Every structure is written in structure tokens, then in C-alpha cells.
Amino acid sequence: MKIKLSWPPKELNPNARLHHHALARAKANYRAACGWEMKAQGIRQMDASALHVSLTFYPPNRIRRDLDNMLSSMKAGLDALSDALGVDDSLWSITITKANETGGYVLIEVEQKS
């Protein structure tokens, strides 16, 4: 299954320096927004014991970004994915890549592992 989520807000970048209340609010807002996006895309809970999740980042512009920071920025979105699928993220394997094109979104592909 493929899921397209909006680009995480800059406040969720690990290099951002925010007050912990502002950071908590940004995480909660992004997690809720991702939850609604997945509901709109018809994502439902699945019966799986393990998943492989591939993340492809399509940055909003050509600014250089580290893959590890992009992954960290997506934590709230991945928690929303875990909620939507009903599969704990400790049972996932993850692949991350950065696309050569821009777009301002994250494409997630989910596959059941046997």
C-alpha cells in the first residue's frame, strides 16, 4: 500500500530549537493531520505481525537535508501510521531515501513481512 503524507513542519526538525510546549504542540498537530490524511486515503488497520516501511522524501525545495534529520522529523507521522495500521512500530523495518525531485511530501510504502 502507498500513503502520501504532507512534509513535516520545520518545527519537528531535530535542529530546531523550540520550547518544549511548542514542540509538543507541533508534534500533536502533525500526528493528528497525518491521521486525518490517512483516513481520507482509506488506510485501515491490518492484521500483520511485521511490516517493512519504505519512506521516500520529496523535499519542498532544493535545500540540502540529512536523511537522519528527515526521518526524525517524521516520528509523529510514523506514530500516526502505527495508530492507523494497528501495528506497533517496534515490528517494522524501515528504508529511507530522498528523491531527486521536489514536491513537499513523504511517500510511504508499506509491505507485510512474512
Side-chain angles (χ1 to χ4, degrees):
M1 108 180 44
K2 290 186 180 186
I3 304 163
K4 186 176 177 180
L5 296 178
S6 61
W7 188 258
K10 64 183 177 186
E11 293 84 8
L12 297 184
N13 186 302
N15 294 331
R17 300 293 178 242
L18 293 178
H19 188 273
H20 60 95
H21 290 296
L23 179 59
R25 192 171 23 257
K27 287 178 183 179
N29 289 341
Y30 187 63
R31 186 173 184 166
C34 289
W36 285 110
E37 283 185 47
M38 286 183 273
K39 187 170 187 157
Q41 293 178 38
I43 304 305
R44 300 189 192 282
Q45 291 200 350
M46 53 191 321
D47 185 26
S49 58
L51 297 176
H52 180 73
V53 178
S54 298
L55 302 166
T56 305
F57 291 92
Y58 291 81
N61 52 40
R62 296 262 179 220
I63 293 174
R64 290 176 40 176
R65 292 174 172 83
D66 297 337
L67 277 175
D68 57 337
N69 287 345
M70 288 188 283
L71 179 61
S72 294
S73 298
M74 274 301 294
K75 180 165 181 4
L78 294 176
D79 288 343
L81 178 61
S82 179
D83 294 342
L85 296 177
V87 180
D88 189 271
D89 54 4
S90 67
L91 303 172
W92 298 0
S93 60
I94 297 179
T95 304
I96 56 174
T97 56
K98 180 181 165 196
N100 291 326
E101 308 95 53
T102 59
Y105 64 92
V106 181
L107 184 63
I108 302 172
E109 295 183 54
V110 179
E111 300 172 11
Q112 285 192 16
K113 288 174 67 174
S114 51

